């Protein structure tokens, strides 16, 4: 039987520069499993997605990091893109929001450059994680055990490297989010 997320509320934290496919595909996966999704960002309005270096669509923001309460959500997804996590890690409210999921033991999915925000939140120490290869040094310096694998799960933290990993990433976040707190 497939994992169900019926009744679950999932936050996607993203800003301008999010890699579109890394936002859209995981969102579709959790919505198709029954979850209610909200886009959380550092400013109200909408965010500009990208397809590598080309503009993608804009997506409406449901709630800002200043207003968002991690306690209202069952899980968190941090899509990648280069600019997106750079904006997020510079926003104290975004960092606070991310850290709250880890403090509560709630599952988190992160892909590509998304772990930059986890580094800023100081939540990767002692964890095994993967990412886009250029983040290896940042994650290692932050105390993580970096590995080059399609998808890695460590106590509710699901990570993947790149868009090619999305099928495995999407399956694993649905599974981990269905399990709930770790």
């Amino acid at each position: 039987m497939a994992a169900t997320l019926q009744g679950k509320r999932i936050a996607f934290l993203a800003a301008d520069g999010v890699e579109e496919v890394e936002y859209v595909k995981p969102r579709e996966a959790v919505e198709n499993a029954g979850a209610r999704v909200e886009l959380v960002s550092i400013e109200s309005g909408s965010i500009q997605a990208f397809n590598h270096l080309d503009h993608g669509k804009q997506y409406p923001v449901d709630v800002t990091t200043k207003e968002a309460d991690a306690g209202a959500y069952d899980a968190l997804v941090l899509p990648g893109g280069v600019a997106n996590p750079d904006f997020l890690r510079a926003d104290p409210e975004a960092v606070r929001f991310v850290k709250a999921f880890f403090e509560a033991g709630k599952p988190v999915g992160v892909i590509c450059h998304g772990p930059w925000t986890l580094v800023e939140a100081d939540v990767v120490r002692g964890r095994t994680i993967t990412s886009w290869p250029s983040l290896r040094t940042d994650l290692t310096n932050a105390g993580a055990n970096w590995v080059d694998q399609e998808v890695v799960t460590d106590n509710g933290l699901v990570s993947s490297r790149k868009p090619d990993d999305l099928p495995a990433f999407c399956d694993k976040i649905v599974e981990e989010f269905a399990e709930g707190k770790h």
Side-chain angles (χ1 to χ4, degrees):
M1 184 172 135
T4 180
L5 299 179
Q6 208 63 40
K8 302 264 187 188
R9 190 172 173 201
I10 312 298
F12 275 67
L13 178 60
D16 287 337
V18 67
E19 185 66 32
E20 190 162 30
V21 71
E22 293 174 1
Y23 169 67
V24 171
K25 292 297 182 187
R27 182 172 180 145
E28 287 173 357
V30 297
E31 285 178 333
N32 289 341
R36 182 174 144 214
V37 172
E38 290 185 1
L39 176 58
V40 179
S41 192
I42 54 181
E43 294 180 5
S44 60
S46 63
I47 61 169
Q48 177 65 59
F50 279 77
N51 296 302
H52 302 294
L53 298 177
D54 297 324
H55 281 82
K57 294 180 182 175
Q58 291 193 356
Y59 294 91
V61 172
D62 295 303
V63 63
T64 66
T65 52
K66 190 171 187 168
E67 303 162 330
D69 173 14
Y73 300 97
D74 298 292
L76 172 66
V77 177
L78 292 156
V82 178
N84 165 50
D86 200 47
F87 288 131
L88 294 175
R89 68 183 177 166
D91 180 69
E93 293 300 326
V95 173
R96 172 201 55 81
F97 186 68
V98 168
K99 194 170 192 122
F101 281 86
F102 285 86
E103 289 170 348
K106 293 181 181 182
V108 173
V110 62
I111 188 166
C112 201
H113 287 79
W116 265 339
T117 309
L118 301 183
V119 168
E120 192 66 32
D122 193 26
V123 295
V124 296
R125 190 171 317 282
R127 290 183 176 266
T128 299
I129 190 168
T130 194
S131 67
W132 186 254
S134 66
L135 274 66
R136 178 183 185 163
T137 300
D138 297 331
L139 288 162
T140 302
N141 287 343
N145 174 35
W146 187 89
V147 295
D148 185 11
Q149 295 176 10
E150 180 180 52
V151 66
V152 174
T153 305
D154 184 330
N155 198 29
L157 173 60
V158 179
S159 58
S160 284
R161 304 167 298 188
K162 57 189 173 184
D164 290 348
D165 298 340
L166 279 166
F169 178 73
C170 290
D171 287 347
K172 191 49 93 172
I173 62 170
V174 169
E175 178 185 323
E176 290 295 310
F177 292 0
E179 288 177 13
K181 287 186 179 182
H182 285 68

